[in-house]
Amino acid sequence: MSNTHWDPSRYGLFGNERQRPAIDLIARLPKAADGFAPRHIVDLGCGPGNVTSLLANAYPGTSADPVKIVGVDSSDEMIETAKKRPEAIEWQKGDIASWEPDEQVDLLFSNAALHWVPDHSNLFPRLLRFVRPGGLLAIQVPNNFLAPSHQLMGEAGLDWPKEVAKAMHAARIMRPGDYFDAMAPACDDIDLWQTQYCHVLSGSDPVYHWVSSTALRPVIAALPDDEARAKFTEKYKTRLLQVYPPRDDGRTLFPFNRLFMIAHKRPE
């Protein structure tokens, strides 16, 4: 996804809902009172910087001993938006698949970004090499790929099966046990858990608007022309409304699964 243009304003339509998993992940991390005081933090796939700011608040450091915090994203649009933030955070453009830090970091964090990067069985051991001994790798990825919101893309795209199937494979994750196996050789403590959020959405076609800024983007881009995109969108919206109908009060419930992991790298 490194060459794909992202729209920060569209991605931010459901900012509170998208930010909540990051808040939950940060809340699970040890803090200074627990003996964990990172001096170098990196947020991979930082987007517009909202979550990176939460990390800065969680680990503020002092004027005499500031914490180095770096946000990395492949999108020019996201980085330019992040640079407008007031916090003392270093923003870098970079592709997670090839990114390397100048030195090992104390906390390597990523919220809802790594599912766009392929080959996690090799990616996770590689990322752990960038974490200092005793440091942490903290990750959250969507785990909603078997939900109707995702599967209905294939149904709506039956006229373009190869294009849609290839695009839907752009975002994938492994099973929890596979992540454990990938991290266990370098880590002595691995915390894995899954959460289903039941988002309460408002407005017309809210589930469509949710996925249109994330999982639907590569599918729409893969369709051959505007006519195909219009036909696909009409079919997809119709099926979404059948599966996720609005309630009598006009609101729509949207269950969404996410996978979390915190791995403590074994001290030397």
Side-chain angles (χ1 to χ4, degrees):
M1 298 295 293
S2 58
N3 297 320
T4 304
H5 293 287
W6 287 81
D7 183 345
S9 62
R10 189 169 184 82
Y11 183 80
L13 286 176
F14 302 98
N16 290 336
E17 291 85 357
R18 295 191 193 281
Q19 193 164 277
R20 183 177 169 187
I23 294 172
D24 292 346
L25 180 58
I26 293 171
R28 194 77 166 255
L29 293 173
K31 304 300 187 298
D34 307 304
F36 183 64
R39 314 315 306 155
H40 188 183
I41 299 171
V42 174
D43 181 12
L44 289 178
C46 64
N50 305 53
V51 172
T52 323
S53 174
L54 296 177
L55 285 167
N57 290 334
Y59 300 100
T62 65
S63 57
D65 188 18
V67 178
K68 179 181 179 180
I69 302 181
V70 180
V72 179
D73 203 277
S74 63
S75 165
D76 289 320
E77 296 87 348
M78 291 294 194
I79 289 295
E80 288 306 310
T81 299
K83 286 181 177 179
K84 298 174 184 177
R85 302 191 63 86
E87 299 89 358
I89 296 171
E90 179 182 337
W91 305 105
Q92 298 178 358
K93 182 181 178 183
D95 187 339
I96 296 173
S98 57
W99 170 85
E100 294 186 14
D102 294 333
E103 58 183 357
Q104 287 185 311
V105 304
D106 300 303
L107 172 59
L108 189 53
F109 184 97
S110 183
N111 178 69
L114 294 189
H115 57 296
W116 293 114
V117 185
D119 193 15
H120 283 194
S121 61
N122 287 313
L123 174 67
F124 272 65
R126 177 177 175 272
L127 293 180
L128 279 166
R129 291 201 297 272
F130 304 146
V131 178
R132 70 162 177 81
L136 295 177
L137 178 67
I139 308 293
Q140 182 272 125
V141 286
N143 192 18
N144 221 43
F145 302 107
L146 297 180
S149 57
H150 195 82
Q151 294 300 305
L152 289 176
M153 296 179 197
E155 180 181 315
L158 289 176
D159 291 338
W160 312 275
K162 292 182 180 179
E163 294 90 338
V164 171
K166 182 178 180 180
M168 288 178 64
H169 280 289
R172 277 289 183 271
I173 67 170
M174 302 190 298
R175 296 172 299 180
D178 295 329
Y179 286 109
F180 187 93
D181 291 340
M183 296 184 288
C187 299
D188 60 9
D189 186 16
I190 300 172
D191 188 8
L192 284 164
W193 74 96
Q194 299 185 71
T195 298
Q196 182 179 89
Y197 296 86
C198 191
H199 298 303
V200 181
L201 308 182
S202 302
S204 60
D205 298 309
V207 176
Y208 171 80
H209 288 299
W210 178 289
V211 298
S212 66
S213 62
T214 54
L216 189 61
R217 297 174 68 257
V219 176
I220 292 295
L223 296 175
D225 51 43
D226 289 343
E227 181 179 355
R229 284 186 277 273
K231 182 178 178 181
F232 171 92
T233 299
E234 181 180 1
K235 291 174 64 176
Y236 183 53
K237 283 184 174 181
T238 297
R239 289 293 287 125
L240 284 177
L241 286 172
Q242 292 170 348
V243 176
Y244 302 100
R247 299 164 62 85
D248 292 342
D249 62 4
R251 294 181 293 181
T252 300
L253 301 183
F254 181 36
F256 200 100
N257 300 292
R258 295 184 182 273
L259 175 64
F260 298 79
M261 56 197 91
I262 297 175
H264 178 259
K265 188 170 180 181
R266 189 174 296 111
E268 291 181 342

